[in-house]
Amino acid sequence: MSLSFDIQNRIEIIISDNCSSDDTECIVKTACANGFQCRYIRNQKNLGMDGNFVNCFRIASGKYIWLLGDDDFIKIEQLEKIVDVLDTTPEIGLLHIDHIRTDSNCGAVKLYDADDMIRNIGYWITFISANIVNGKYVSRINFDKYMGTWFTIMPLYITAIQNEPINIIYYNEVFDAYNDSSSNGGYNYFEVFVVNYLSIWKEFIANKNLIKWIKKDIWPFIFTNTKQLLIQNKKGNFKTKNGICILLKYYGNEWYFWLDWLKYPWGVINRKMRRFMTSLCVKDISNQSDRDVKEI
C-alpha cells in the first residue's frame, strides 16, 4: 500500500544508508523515480549502529522523530492514525507503541505522570521502533557518553518523558508480522541488558522504588535468555563472558532471582515427565488399536 498524498506532505522520511555494501542506493533511487518522497543519505563510512541512529536524530527536522529498524514494517493505516494522534494532541514527550497488549483496543491513552509512563513501557523502551520522541530534546543529550552501550537513544526517551506533562501509550497492531532476528547480537548480553540498562536508568531516576520496579520488570526477560544462553548453550551471535558474575552482582540480593532458579529444575522435570506420560498414552492407544484390529 502506498502513502497517500496527505500523509506524504505531513511527514519527512529519511533513509540513512550506513555505507552499506548492498544495493540500497539503487532501490531507493528507483522508488523515488516512481514517486516515493524521501531524503536519502549515505554515510561516507560505517558509523556503527549507535552512530547511525544518532545521525538520524540530528538530521531529522520534524517536531516528532520515529526511528525505525530496517526489519520493522509499519501498517500504512496505522501510520495515518498515529500522525492524527500527534496532530490533535498538545505537545507530548513520547508516544510509545504497545504492540504486545493490542487486545485492549484502547487506541491512544494519555498519561500525565512520568513514573506511570515508565511503568507502562517497562523494558520495551529498548525497542527503538516502538518510540516516537519529541525532537526538541535531541540537542540536550550527550550521545557520545552512551556510545557502545547499545542503548544510546534511551536517555533521549527518558528525558522527553520526564520533561513533558503528557505522554501517550498507543495500543494497536502497528507492525506487520515480520521480524528478522538472525542478525541480533554481536554484544555481551549481560553487560548490555544488566549493567548498561540498569546503569542508564539509575542515572535518570531518583525514585528508589521505581528503580527496584525497573530492575524486577526486566528480570523475566533476562531469566528466559539466561536459560537459553548459559544452560541450553544457544548463544547465537551473543557473548556471555562473566554472565554469572554479573547476575550475582546485580540480582544476587533479590528474592525473585533465587526463587526462579529454584523453580527451574522442577519445571524441567515436569516437562520431561509430561512428555514421558504422553508417550506412554500414545503407546497405550496404539496397542489398544492393535488389539481392536485383532478382535475384528
Side-chain angles (χ1 to χ4, degrees):
M1 185 184 296
S2 60
L3 294 174
S4 66
F5 178 79
D6 177 57
I7 286 295
Q8 286 198 61
N9 282 275
R10 294 164 71 190
I11 65 174
E12 171 191 47
I13 298 176
I14 298 174
I15 298 175
S16 181
D17 183 345
N18 198 20
C19 197
S20 63
S21 57
D22 56 23
D23 55 351
T24 297
E25 185 172 6
C26 180
I27 293 172
V28 174
K29 287 183 177 180
T30 300
C32 290
N34 291 322
F36 180 67
Q37 297 179 21
C38 74
R39 287 177 62 193
Y40 173 71
I41 298 167
R42 179 177 171 83
N43 300 330
Q44 292 184 352
K45 64 178 182 178
N46 190 311
L47 304 178
M49 182 189 72
D50 287 345
N52 195 37
F53 287 170
V54 172
N55 196 43
C56 288
F57 277 106
R58 287 173 173 163
I59 292 171
S61 61
K63 181 177 181 179
Y64 297 106
I65 305 172
W66 189 358
L67 183 65
L68 290 168
D70 58 4
D71 61 346
D72 295 315
F73 302 125
I74 306 171
K75 296 180 179 179
I76 300 301
E77 66 274 13
Q78 289 298 327
L79 171 61
E80 295 173 345
K81 290 179 180 179
I82 289 173
V83 171
D84 286 338
V85 168
L86 293 173
D87 278 350
T88 58
T89 306
E91 192 161 6
I92 68 166
L94 188 82
L95 183 150
H96 177 78
I97 299 164
D98 191 319
H99 63 297
I100 302 298
R101 294 171 290 183
T102 55
D103 57 345
S104 64
N105 295 318
C106 295
V109 176
K110 298 176 184 176
L111 298 178
Y112 300 90
D113 180 79
D115 288 359
D116 192 23
M117 179 68 174
I118 290 169
R119 290 179 187 274
N120 271 271
I121 298 176
Y123 66 85
W124 284 106
I125 196 171
T126 63
F127 179 26
I128 290 177
S129 297
N131 299 299
I132 302 174
V133 68
N134 193 319
K136 75 180 183 183
Y137 293 101
V138 171
S139 60
R140 300 190 188 185
I141 307 300
N142 177 14
F143 292 106
D144 291 339
K145 178 180 178 180
Y146 306 100
M147 287 291 180
T149 65
W150 290 77
F151 295 133
T152 309
I153 310 301
M154 247 182 73
L156 171 62
Y157 297 152
I158 299 170
T159 300
I161 290 171
Q162 293 177 326
N163 285 277
E164 290 294 335
I166 302 175
N167 293 286
I168 293 177
I169 302 288
Y170 186 78
Y171 299 91
N172 226 316
E173 294 183 9
V174 173
F175 303 103
D176 279 328
Y178 171 81
N179 182 266
D180 180 12
S181 60
S182 60
S183 61
N184 288 351
Y187 54 82
N188 186 312
Y189 177 86
F190 300 97
E191 288 182 358
V192 170
F193 277 96
V194 180
V195 180
N196 298 348
Y197 177 79
L198 295 178
S199 296
I200 290 173
W201 276 117
K202 287 180 180 178
E203 180 180 343
F204 289 88
I205 302 295
N207 185 334
K208 291 183 179 180
N209 288 329
L210 182 56
I211 287 293
K212 288 181 179 179
W213 182 90
I214 288 168
K215 187 176 178 181
K216 187 177 180 182
D217 169 67
I218 197 173
W219 169 247
F221 174 74
I222 293 172
F223 181 59
T224 297
N225 285 287
T226 298
K227 290 185 292 184
Q228 181 175 334
L229 293 169
L230 297 183
I231 297 177
Q232 300 170 13
N233 202 32
K234 297 178 180 179
K235 296 182 180 181
N237 298 320
F238 292 101
K239 301 172 185 176
T240 60
K241 185 179 180 181
N242 297 325
I244 296 296
C245 293
I246 290 172
L247 289 177
L248 288 174
K249 178 179 178 180
Y250 283 84
Y251 283 96
N253 292 326
E254 306 297 344
W255 62 268
Y256 51 83
F257 171 85
W258 297 105
L259 179 62
D260 280 341
W261 285 116
L262 287 171
K263 289 162 52 180
Y264 175 67
W266 294 108
V268 173
I269 292 171
N270 286 335
R271 285 194 297 274
K272 290 183 177 179
M273 183 61 71
R274 285 197 296 271
R275 286 196 294 266
F276 176 68
M277 295 300 292
T278 300
S279 67
L280 289 180
C281 291
V282 170
K283 289 179 180 178
D284 184 64
I285 292 171
S286 177
N287 292 336
Q288 181 64 45
S289 298
D290 290 340
R291 287 195 294 270
D292 291 342
V293 170
K294 290 178 181 179
E295 289 176 3
I296 292 172

